[in-house]
Amino acid sequence: MEYANQLSEYAPAQSAAEVEERVAQIRKLAERNHNAEVYKFCYSAIDITTLSCNDSVTSVTEFARKTAEFYGKYPHIPNVASICIYPSFVETVGLAIDGTPMRITSVAGGFPAAQTFLEVKALEVAMAIENGADEIDIVLNVGRMLTGEYNEAANEVEVIRSEMDRDVVLKVIIESGALKTPELIRKASVLSMLAGADFIKTSTGKIDVAATPEAAVVMCEAIRDFYNKTGRKVGFKAAGGVRTAEDAALYYTIVEEILGKEWLTTELFRIGASSAANNLLSAIEGKEIKYY
């Protein structure tokens, strides 16, 4: 499908200076959300993540069991939304969390660089779903975005989306730290949504610049404009570099201010994190917690 010509239907991104000014405004507003109720929601929106070269069946099983045991140990705090792992561990996680409402997220499609054949990407996604993944996180082809091959980048997403059942959630990572400019971040966001993304996600967490409030503002404004034009709600996920409870509250506030409270559900807002989990728990409980 031709996607590049549809970009002209959307206004250009704000300038970097305008985005920075908006972030500064929202930072001040975020102070109202430094409270236990917001932190509890942010915890429940986490895709708790282990994406390490050291992952093994043993370590991932232990990680997943610990996550499942949270229901009994902290019944007053809603548990994380999902566990995010590499495709080869989807079945492992499924066995460990069986009987819980937790979802399974798998990165796939040549994560984190997405530099492989489209057929390989589609097959890896299909295998992850076959093994029980409820949600798939793929990476938009950053190289194609940087060279202006917008149709090619979006068509990869379209092909992968077409191979998935509608009840499987597709999150598209735009790797905002590599795109750098508000205009390219906006284009990547719009193209991903046009091609079928259910969520757009900031980062893989595997390059130096991960999630930033500036990228989040640009992405959420793109989501808002896409919704106004199409009537379709797309979710937002901040990932990489979200470490403190205050970090989480800032992204919560960005979504609240730009998209509204109706986006503040785990169906439309996620945080990809591992270190943030303990910090949110500590902020909720008022003492240091090292659960993970």
Side-chain angles (χ1 to χ4, degrees):
M1 184 183 291
E2 291 289 321
Y3 288 102
N5 57 6
Q6 297 183 60
L7 290 172
S8 62
E9 299 176 15
Y10 293 83
Q14 296 186 73
S15 69
E18 289 171 323
V19 173
E20 288 174 8
E21 184 178 351
R22 186 73 170 118
V23 169
Q25 293 169 350
I26 295 176
R27 281 190 188 278
K28 294 177 182 177
L29 296 173
E31 294 178 9
R32 70 177 182 235
N33 289 323
H34 293 173
N35 62 72
E37 288 310 305
V38 168
Y39 295 154
K40 283 182 181 180
F41 170 76
C42 288
Y43 187 85
S44 75
I46 288 177
D47 291 339
I48 193 81
T49 302
T50 179
L51 296 170
S52 167
C53 64
N54 298 330
D55 288 343
S56 65
V57 170
T58 300
S59 68
V60 172
T61 297
E62 182 179 350
F63 182 75
R65 283 179 177 164
K66 193 172 190 67
T67 306
E69 288 167 359
F70 185 88
Y71 290 104
K73 293 185 176 180
Y74 292 89
H76 58 293
I77 301 173
N79 204 353
V80 296
S82 80
I83 297 178
C84 181
I85 48 4
Y86 281 113
S88 57
F89 297 113
V90 168
E91 192 170 10
T92 300
V93 170
L95 291 170
I97 67 168
D98 188 39
T100 76
M102 200 179 312
R103 296 174 68 81
I104 302 172
T105 296
S106 176
V107 296
F111 179 95
Q115 296 288 9
T116 188
F117 302 103
L118 178 56
E119 294 85 353
V120 173
K121 294 180 184 182
L123 179 59
E124 187 176 48
V125 168
M127 292 177 71
I129 294 169
E130 173 112 9
N131 281 352
D134 304 296
E135 306 182 0
I136 298 290
D137 290 16
I138 66 169
V139 182
L140 186 68
N141 193 313
V142 176
R144 289 193 182 278
M145 287 299 304
L146 292 173
T147 53
E149 298 173 88
Y150 302 145
N151 284 328
E152 291 82 356
N155 273 299
E156 287 192 12
V157 176
E158 179 191 348
V159 168
I160 292 171
R161 173 77 265 182
S162 69
E163 297 293 325
M164 300 166 60
D165 291 338
R166 285 308 311 173
D167 63 342
V168 178
V169 172
L170 176 63
K171 307 191 200 90
V172 177
I173 305 163
I174 67 165
E175 200 66 288
S176 56
L179 299 177
K180 298 181 180 178
T181 68
E183 186 60 27
L184 207 47
I185 289 169
R186 182 172 172 85
K187 285 178 177 177
S189 299
V190 171
L191 289 167
S192 298
M193 293 186 286
L194 288 169
D198 298 304
F199 270 77
I200 52 173
K201 174 179 169 183
T202 57
S203 325
T204 60
K206 300 298 185 182
I207 69 169
D208 290 342
V209 180
T212 66
E214 289 77 15
V217 164
V218 175
M219 293 170 70
C220 286
E221 288 178 345
I223 291 170
R224 177 199 63 203
D225 295 348
F226 182 80
Y227 172 69
N228 289 339
K229 188 172 288 291
T230 68
R232 186 166 74 86
K233 290 182 177 179
V234 174
F236 169 74
K237 179 175 174 179
V242 185
R243 294 186 174 87
T244 68
E246 291 77 16
D247 288 340
L250 176 57
Y251 288 107
Y252 174 102
T253 310
I254 289 170
V255 171
E256 182 182 37
E257 285 297 306
I258 296 173
L259 295 170
K261 290 186 180 294
E262 62 190 294
W263 253 264
L264 292 172
T265 72
T266 56
E267 285 74 37
L268 291 169
F269 176 62
R270 295 287 179 85
I271 298 169
S274 49
S275 59
N278 283 338
N279 291 328
L280 280 165
L281 288 174
S282 298
I284 293 165
E285 296 290 86
K287 60 183 179 181
E288 186 175 17
I289 302 290
K290 291 186 177 179
Y291 189 76
Y292 290 100

mmCIF file of all heavy atoms in Angstrom, residues 30-44 76-78 245-246 248-249 252 279-287:
data_model
loop_
_atom_site.group_PDB
_atom_site.id
_atom_site.type_symbol
_atom_site.label_atom_id
_atom_site.label_comp_id
_atom_site.label_asym_id
_atom_site.label_seq_id
_atom_site.Cartn_x
_atom_site.Cartn_y
_atom_site.Cartn_z
ATOM 1 N N ALA A 30 3.107 17.177 36.450
ATOM 2 C CA ALA A 30 3.307 15.787 36.893
ATOM 3 C C ALA A 30 3.434 15.670 38.401
ATOM 4 O O ALA A 30 3.191 14.588 38.961
ATOM 5 C CB ALA A 30 4.542 15.195 36.215
ATOM 6 N N GLU A 31 3.774 16.766 39.062
ATOM 7 C CA GLU A 31 3.927 16.711 40.524
ATOM 8 C C GLU A 31 2.626 16.300 41.207
ATOM 9 O O GLU A 31 2.647 15.688 42.277
ATOM 10 C CB GLU A 31 4.417 18.060 41.039
ATOM 11 C CG GLU A 31 5.820 18.404 40.571
ATOM 12 C CD GLU A 31 6.292 19.766 41.040
ATOM 13 O OE1 GLU A 31 5.581 20.373 41.889
ATOM 14 O OE2 GLU A 31 7.351 20.222 40.577
ATOM 15 N N ARG A 32 1.487 16.614 40.590
ATOM 16 C CA ARG A 32 0.200 16.234 41.185
ATOM 17 C C ARG A 32 0.005 14.721 41.162
ATOM 18 O O ARG A 32 -0.850 14.183 41.885
ATOM 19 C CB ARG A 32 -0.940 16.906 40.426
ATOM 20 C CG ARG A 32 -1.157 16.362 39.015
ATOM 21 C CD ARG A 32 -2.333 17.001 38.310
ATOM 22 N NE ARG A 32 -2.542 16.418 36.994
ATOM 23 C CZ ARG A 32 -2.599 17.108 35.870
ATOM 24 N NH1 ARG A 32 -2.469 18.429 35.885
ATOM 25 N NH2 ARG A 32 -2.793 16.500 34.713
ATOM 26 N N ASN A 33 0.774 14.039 40.309
ATOM 27 C CA ASN A 33 0.625 12.586 40.171
ATOM 28 C C ASN A 33 1.688 11.798 40.914
ATOM 29 O O ASN A 33 1.831 10.593 40.699
ATOM 30 C CB ASN A 33 0.627 12.213 38.685
ATOM 31 C CG ASN A 33 -0.650 12.655 37.988
ATOM 32 O OD1 ASN A 33 -1.732 12.592 38.566
ATOM 33 N ND2 ASN A 33 -0.536 13.105 36.747
ATOM 34 N N HIS A 34 2.407 12.456 41.794
ATOM 35 C CA HIS A 34 3.371 11.766 42.641
ATOM 36 C C HIS A 34 2.641 11.226 43.874
ATOM 37 O O HIS A 34 2.762 11.743 44.984
ATOM 38 C CB HIS A 34 4.512 12.705 43.044
ATOM 39 C CG HIS A 34 5.378 13.128 41.910
ATOM 40 N ND1 HIS A 34 6.367 14.082 42.035
ATOM 41 C CD2 HIS A 34 5.410 12.714 40.611
ATOM 42 C CE1 HIS A 34 6.968 14.243 40.861
ATOM 43 N NE2 HIS A 34 6.395 13.432 39.992
ATOM 44 N N ASN A 35 1.846 10.212 43.663
ATOM 45 C CA ASN A 35 1.069 9.634 44.764
ATOM 46 C C ASN A 35 0.872 8.140 44.555
ATOM 47 O O ASN A 35 1.067 7.624 43.438
ATOM 48 C CB ASN A 35 -0.276 10.350 44.907
ATOM 49 C CG ASN A 35 -1.135 10.213 43.669
ATOM 50 O OD1 ASN A 35 -1.669 9.136 43.377
ATOM 51 N ND2 ASN A 35 -1.294 11.307 42.914
ATOM 52 N N ALA A 36 0.477 7.456 45.599
ATOM 53 C CA ALA A 36 0.418 5.991 45.580
ATOM 54 C C ALA A 36 -0.572 5.451 44.550
ATOM 55 O O ALA A 36 -0.314 4.415 43.922
ATOM 56 C CB ALA A 36 0.061 5.469 46.970
ATOM 57 N N GLU A 37 -1.700 6.134 44.363
ATOM 58 C CA GLU A 37 -2.699 5.618 43.417
ATOM 59 C C GLU A 37 -2.177 5.631 41.984
ATOM 60 O O GLU A 37 -2.378 4.676 41.232
ATOM 61 C CB GLU A 37 -3.998 6.423 43.533
ATOM 62 C CG GLU A 37 -4.778 6.140 44.798
ATOM 63 C CD GLU A 37 -4.988 4.653 45.048
ATOM 64 O OE1 GLU A 37 -5.529 3.972 44.145
ATOM 65 O OE2 GLU A 37 -4.603 4.173 46.126
ATOM 66 N N VAL A 38 -1.504 6.703 41.606
ATOM 67 C CA VAL A 38 -0.914 6.767 40.263
ATOM 68 C C VAL A 38 0.202 5.737 40.140
ATOM 69 O O VAL A 38 0.313 5.048 39.116
ATOM 70 C CB VAL A 38 -0.395 8.188 39.963
ATOM 71 C CG1 VAL A 38 0.480 8.197 38.699
ATOM 72 C CG2 VAL A 38 -1.567 9.137 39.798
ATOM 73 N N TYR A 39 1.007 5.598 41.179
ATOM 74 C CA TYR A 39 2.097 4.624 41.130
ATOM 75 C C TYR A 39 1.548 3.199 41.001
ATOM 76 O O TYR A 39 2.131 2.371 40.295
ATOM 77 C CB TYR A 39 2.977 4.736 42.372
ATOM 78 C CG TYR A 39 3.721 6.045 42.502
ATOM 79 C CD1 TYR A 39 4.105 6.521 43.756
ATOM 80 C CD2 TYR A 39 4.036 6.819 41.391
ATOM 81 C CE1 TYR A 39 4.797 7.717 43.891
ATOM 82 C CE2 TYR A 39 4.721 8.022 41.513
ATOM 83 C CZ TYR A 39 5.092 8.471 42.769
ATOM 84 O OH TYR A 39 5.771 9.657 42.905
ATOM 85 N N LYS A 40 0.434 2.923 41.673
ATOM 86 C CA LYS A 40 -0.179 1.595 41.544
ATOM 87 C C LYS A 40 -0.627 1.343 40.113
ATOM 88 O O LYS A 40 -0.424 0.256 39.557
ATOM 89 C CB LYS A 40 -1.380 1.462 42.491
ATOM 90 C CG LYS A 40 -1.023 1.219 43.941
ATOM 91 C CD LYS A 40 -2.284 1.061 44.787
ATOM 92 C CE LYS A 40 -1.940 0.836 46.255
ATOM 93 N NZ LYS A 40 -3.176 0.679 47.083
ATOM 94 N N PHE A 41 -1.253 2.353 39.508
ATOM 95 C CA PHE A 41 -1.674 2.171 38.114
ATOM 96 C C PHE A 41 -0.459 1.970 37.212
ATOM 97 O O PHE A 41 -0.457 1.089 36.342
ATOM 98 C CB PHE A 41 -2.490 3.355 37.603
ATOM 99 C CG PHE A 41 -2.712 3.259 36.125
ATOM 100 C CD1 PHE A 41 -3.643 2.372 35.606
ATOM 101 C CD2 PHE A 41 -1.949 4.005 35.246
ATOM 102 C CE1 PHE A 41 -3.806 2.228 34.233
ATOM 103 C CE2 PHE A 41 -2.107 3.882 33.877
ATOM 104 C CZ PHE A 41 -3.045 2.986 33.362
ATOM 105 N N CYS A 42 0.578 2.784 37.409
ATOM 106 C CA CYS A 42 1.774 2.647 36.583
ATOM 107 C C CYS A 42 2.393 1.260 36.730
ATOM 108 O O CYS A 42 2.856 0.667 35.741
ATOM 109 C CB CYS A 42 2.795 3.728 36.939
ATOM 110 S SG CYS A 42 2.326 5.387 36.397
ATOM 111 N N TYR A 43 2.378 0.737 37.960
ATOM 112 C CA TYR A 43 2.889 -0.623 38.159
ATOM 113 C C TYR A 43 2.051 -1.627 37.361
ATOM 114 O O TYR A 43 2.586 -2.528 36.717
ATOM 115 C CB TYR A 43 2.887 -0.991 39.647
ATOM 116 C CG TYR A 43 3.562 -2.319 39.907
ATOM 117 C CD1 TYR A 43 4.940 -2.387 40.070
ATOM 118 C CD2 TYR A 43 2.839 -3.506 39.965
ATOM 119 C CE1 TYR A 43 5.578 -3.607 40.278
ATOM 120 C CE2 TYR A 43 3.459 -4.718 40.170
ATOM 121 C CZ TYR A 43 4.832 -4.768 40.327
ATOM 122 O OH TYR A 43 5.456 -5.974 40.517
ATOM 123 N N SER A 44 0.749 -1.448 37.368
ATOM 124 C CA SER A 44 -0.140 -2.385 36.664
ATOM 125 C C SER A 44 -0.004 -2.272 35.150
ATOM 126 O O SER A 44 -0.445 -3.167 34.425
ATOM 127 C CB SER A 44 -1.599 -2.134 37.053
ATOM 128 O OG SER A 44 -2.116 -0.971 36.427
ATOM 129 N N HIS A 76 -2.973 -6.128 47.486
ATOM 130 C CA HIS A 76 -3.521 -4.767 47.458
ATOM 131 C C HIS A 76 -2.954 -3.937 46.306
ATOM 132 O O HIS A 76 -3.339 -2.778 46.135
ATOM 133 C CB HIS A 76 -3.242 -4.060 48.781
ATOM 134 C CG HIS A 76 -1.778 -3.982 49.130
ATOM 135 N ND1 HIS A 76 -1.033 -5.097 49.434
ATOM 136 C CD2 HIS A 76 -0.915 -2.921 49.219
ATOM 137 C CE1 HIS A 76 0.218 -4.745 49.700
ATOM 138 N NE2 HIS A 76 0.312 -3.429 49.563
ATOM 139 N N ILE A 77 -2.046 -4.536 45.522
ATOM 140 C CA ILE A 77 -1.444 -3.830 44.385
ATOM 141 C C ILE A 77 -1.733 -4.632 43.117
ATOM 142 O O ILE A 77 -1.410 -5.816 43.054
ATOM 143 C CB ILE A 77 0.083 -3.666 44.561
ATOM 144 C CG1 ILE A 77 0.399 -2.892 45.840
ATOM 145 C CG2 ILE A 77 0.694 -2.961 43.346
ATOM 146 C CD1 ILE A 77 1.881 -2.833 46.166
ATOM 147 N N PRO A 78 -2.335 -4.008 42.098
ATOM 148 C CA PRO A 78 -2.587 -4.744 40.858
ATOM 149 C C PRO A 78 -1.278 -5.150 40.203
ATOM 150 O O PRO A 78 -0.342 -4.350 40.126
ATOM 151 C CB PRO A 78 -3.366 -3.748 39.992
ATOM 152 C CG PRO A 78 -3.074 -2.405 40.565
ATOM 153 C CD PRO A 78 -2.830 -2.610 42.024
ATOM 154 N N ALA A 245 9.867 6.070 40.058
ATOM 155 C CA ALA A 245 8.419 6.283 40.147
ATOM 156 C C ALA A 245 8.049 7.620 39.517
ATOM 157 O O ALA A 245 7.014 7.747 38.862
ATOM 158 C CB ALA A 245 7.982 6.242 41.616
ATOM 159 N N GLU A 246 8.918 8.613 39.685
ATOM 160 C CA GLU A 246 8.667 9.928 39.105
ATOM 161 C C GLU A 246 8.736 9.878 37.573
ATOM 162 O O GLU A 246 7.970 10.570 36.894
ATOM 163 C CB GLU A 246 9.668 10.950 39.644
ATOM 164 C CG GLU A 246 9.490 11.279 41.111
ATOM 165 C CD GLU A 246 10.033 10.195 42.055
ATOM 166 O OE1 GLU A 246 10.810 9.326 41.582
ATOM 167 O OE2 GLU A 246 9.670 10.203 43.242
ATOM 168 N N ALA A 248 7.867 7.302 35.755
ATOM 169 C CA ALA A 248 6.600 6.691 35.351
ATOM 170 C C ALA A 248 5.460 7.695 35.433
ATOM 171 O O ALA A 248 4.618 7.774 34.529
ATOM 172 C CB ALA A 248 6.303 5.468 36.227
ATOM 173 N N ALA A 249 5.432 8.485 36.500
ATOM 174 C CA ALA A 249 4.375 9.489 36.667
ATOM 175 C C ALA A 249 4.442 10.556 35.590
ATOM 176 O O ALA A 249 3.407 11.099 35.172
ATOM 177 C CB ALA A 249 4.464 10.124 38.047
ATOM 178 N N TYR A 252 2.856 9.057 32.532
ATOM 179 C CA TYR A 252 1.428 9.019 32.841
ATOM 180 C C TYR A 252 0.803 10.393 32.588
ATOM 181 O O TYR A 252 -0.262 10.511 31.973
ATOM 182 C CB TYR A 252 1.263 8.608 34.308
ATOM 183 C CG TYR A 252 -0.140 8.637 34.872
ATOM 184 C CD1 TYR A 252 -0.869 7.461 35.019
ATOM 185 C CD2 TYR A 252 -0.726 9.835 35.303
ATOM 186 C CE1 TYR A 252 -2.142 7.473 35.577
ATOM 187 C CE2 TYR A 252 -1.995 9.857 35.842
ATOM 188 C CZ TYR A 252 -2.698 8.677 35.985
ATOM 189 O OH TYR A 252 -3.961 8.698 36.527
ATOM 190 N N ASN A 279 11.220 0.296 42.123
ATOM 191 C CA ASN A 279 11.113 1.690 42.561
ATOM 192 C C ASN A 279 9.661 2.115 42.740
ATOM 193 O O ASN A 279 9.331 2.863 43.663
ATOM 194 C CB ASN A 279 11.836 2.600 41.575
ATOM 195 C CG ASN A 279 13.342 2.404 41.612
ATOM 196 O OD1 ASN A 279 13.900 2.096 42.653
ATOM 197 N ND2 ASN A 279 13.994 2.569 40.478
ATOM 198 N N LEU A 280 8.787 1.641 41.876
ATOM 199 C CA LEU A 280 7.359 1.929 42.050
ATOM 200 C C LEU A 280 6.827 1.243 43.303
ATOM 201 O O LEU A 280 6.075 1.852 44.083
ATOM 202 C CB LEU A 280 6.572 1.481 40.818
ATOM 203 C CG LEU A 280 6.605 2.440 39.628
ATOM 204 C CD1 LEU A 280 6.112 1.746 38.368
ATOM 205 C CD2 LEU A 280 5.750 3.688 39.897
ATOM 206 N N LEU A 281 7.201 -0.011 43.505
ATOM 207 C CA LEU A 281 6.758 -0.721 44.708
ATOM 208 C C LEU A 281 7.240 -0.009 45.971
ATOM 209 O O LEU A 281 6.497 0.118 46.947
ATOM 210 C CB LEU A 281 7.273 -2.160 44.690
ATOM 211 C CG LEU A 281 6.608 -3.110 43.696
ATOM 212 C CD1 LEU A 281 7.319 -4.455 43.687
ATOM 213 C CD2 LEU A 281 5.136 -3.302 44.036
ATOM 214 N N SER A 282 8.482 0.465 45.950
ATOM 215 C CA SER A 282 9.025 1.181 47.106
ATOM 216 C C SER A 282 8.253 2.467 47.371
ATOM 217 O O SER A 282 7.955 2.808 48.523
ATOM 218 C CB SER A 282 10.508 1.496 46.870
ATOM 219 O OG SER A 282 11.266 0.305 46.728
ATOM 220 N N ALA A 283 7.900 3.175 46.303
ATOM 221 C CA ALA A 283 7.139 4.423 46.454
ATOM 222 C C ALA A 283 5.731 4.150 46.974
ATOM 223 O O ALA A 283 5.199 4.916 47.778
ATOM 224 C CB ALA A 283 7.079 5.156 45.116
ATOM 225 N N ILE A 284 5.133 3.050 46.544
ATOM 226 C CA ILE A 284 3.786 2.685 46.997
ATOM 227 C C ILE A 284 3.794 2.291 48.474
ATOM 228 O O ILE A 284 2.941 2.729 49.261
ATOM 229 C CB ILE A 284 3.230 1.519 46.153
ATOM 230 C CG1 ILE A 284 2.991 1.967 44.708
ATOM 231 C CG2 ILE A 284 1.927 0.970 46.755
ATOM 232 C CD1 ILE A 284 2.797 0.808 43.734
ATOM 233 N N GLU A 285 4.782 1.494 48.848
ATOM 234 C CA GLU A 285 4.832 0.941 50.205
ATOM 235 C C GLU A 285 5.513 1.868 51.209
ATOM 236 O O GLU A 285 5.428 1.650 52.418
ATOM 237 C CB GLU A 285 5.548 -0.409 50.188
ATOM 238 C CG GLU A 285 4.836 -1.498 49.382
ATOM 239 C CD GLU A 285 3.565 -1.962 50.050
ATOM 240 O OE1 GLU A 285 2.506 -1.326 49.825
ATOM 241 O OE2 GLU A 285 3.596 -2.946 50.798
ATOM 242 N N GLY A 286 6.223 2.889 50.705
ATOM 243 C CA GLY A 286 6.894 3.819 51.607
ATOM 244 C C GLY A 286 8.138 3.257 52.252
ATOM 245 O O GLY A 286 8.605 3.759 53.280
ATOM 246 N N LYS A 287 8.706 2.238 51.682
ATOM 247 C CA LYS A 287 9.962 1.650 52.162
ATOM 248 C C LYS A 287 10.611 0.925 50.994
ATOM 249 O O LYS A 287 9.956 0.608 49.997
ATOM 250 C CB LYS A 287 9.707 0.668 53.313
ATOM 251 C CG LYS A 287 8.802 -0.501 52.944
ATOM 252 C CD LYS A 287 8.517 -1.397 54.130
ATOM 253 C CE LYS A 287 7.589 -2.562 53.749
ATOM 254 N NZ LYS A 287 7.277 -3.423 54.893
#
